[in-house]
Amino acid sequence: MPVISDVLTALEAAYPPALAESWDAVGLVCGDPAEPVERVLVCVDPVEATVAEAEEIGAQLIVAHHPLLLRGVHGVPADTAKGSLVHRLIRGRIALYCAHTNADSADPGVSDALAEAIGLRVLRPLSPHPSGNTGLGRIGELPEAEPFSAFVGRVGRALPATTPGVLGAGDPDRPIRTVAVSGGAGDSYLATAAEAGVDAYVTADLRHHPAGEHLASLETVPALVGLTHWASEWPWCGQASAVIRAAVAGNVDTHVSTRCTDPWTIRA
């Protein structure tokens, strides 16, 4: 039977920890690498809902995109939100592994999965990494141009439904062919997308002022498609699941969580 370290070796080959940003916290959070593994749950967020799901399916390992303990802590008491999850995982003999900005920059990585879901042919990174053909975000193209209104609909159909949904900002009749994507919060790359000369930019967590200032530019700038953070990164779960399946040759069951862990649950 495979052990947890077998899965981690495959994940770190696909998403090298060296690609992680200096401020990030990636890798094994808790668990014994030598423990056998029969089932793995892949998710975006290591939160109560996904830990409960891992317990329900009998998983010995959770592979999450977001770190549980991103900022330094001095303890994990069980009467705190994150501490209670750590205790719950250890009691349940469930290991937790996180691949965050290393999965963002890997080739293929988070933005490749987003681009593929939308139907783009990836051309290059949006913000290349010094190490080579990796980096944050992707620039791709559609098979043929389509109106921006149709493109926004395409994105909405490609991704799992969320309460806030998918929003577009731009001329609905503008032809869209070249597209930049960035899984997760991406408004820091608005200028980069504009410099790339793409027709549209798809990302999450767009803030009011940066988006407004971008659209008000005197230059021709990409139209914007705004997503929720969870929806923009969820396609990566299928990609990571495929990495695990290929490595363990069918000896480990992999499950992609479909539980929406966006914080927004009510629409007025």
Side-chain angles (χ1 to χ4, degrees):
M1 180 181 296
V3 295
I4 287 171
S5 63
D6 295 326
V7 176
L8 305 192
T9 297
L11 289 169
E12 295 194 344
Y15 311 117
L19 293 178
E21 298 295 309
S22 59
W23 49 263
D24 203 3
V26 303
L28 191 64
V29 177
C30 63
D32 184 349
E35 284 284 314
V37 58
E38 296 179 351
R39 292 184 182 85
V40 178
L41 178 73
V42 186
C43 63
V44 174
D45 295 302
V47 293
E48 194 281 333
T50 48
V51 171
E53 187 174 6
E55 292 170 338
E56 290 166 13
I57 67 172
Q60 293 81 36
L61 171 64
I62 296 173
V63 175
H65 179 49
H66 289 146
L68 175 63
L69 304 172
L70 180 58
R71 295 175 177 83
V73 297
H74 299 289
V76 285
D79 60 351
T80 63
K82 294 192 175 186
S84 68
L85 287 180
V86 172
H87 282 259
R88 186 169 174 178
L89 289 165
I90 293 172
R91 291 190 187 111
R93 300 186 72 176
I94 302 170
L96 172 62
Y97 180 86
C98 301
H100 191 211
T101 54
N102 52 323
D104 289 328
S105 284
D107 179 23
V110 171
S111 291
D112 292 283
L114 176 58
E116 181 181 358
I118 295 171
L120 301 175
R121 181 174 71 89
V122 171
L123 303 175
R124 62 188 186 275
L126 174 61
S127 177
H129 194 279
S131 67
N133 192 34
T134 61
L136 297 170
R138 293 294 183 269
I139 294 174
E141 64 178 8
L142 294 167
E144 58 185 33
E146 63 189 28
F148 182 54
S149 58
F151 178 70
V152 174
R154 167 195 287 268
V155 176
R157 291 187 298 274
L159 299 177
T162 62
T163 300
V166 173
L167 299 173
D171 179 354
D173 298 321
R174 177 179 179 173
I176 303 298
R177 180 74 190 278
T178 56
V179 180
V181 301
S182 180
D187 63 12
S188 61
Y189 293 102
L190 284 168
T192 307
E195 290 167 4
V198 296
D199 301 317
Y201 179 38
V202 181
T203 191
D205 298 347
L206 287 168
R207 293 172 295 161
H208 176 88
H209 292 294
E213 291 166 6
H214 166 86
L215 294 169
S217 170
L218 297 177
E219 305 292 333
T220 300
V221 296
L224 301 179
V225 180
L227 313 174
T228 69
H229 201 114
W230 173 82
S232 75
E233 295 177 330
W234 183 82
W236 170 81
C237 296
Q239 181 192 97
S241 179
V243 167
I244 297 169
R245 288 197 303 272
V248 295
N251 293 318
V252 173
D253 293 331
T254 60
H255 299 259
V256 171
S257 176
T258 58
R259 297 187 183 181
C260 179
T261 50
D262 263 332
W264 315 112
T265 58
I266 299 172
R267 189 183 184 96

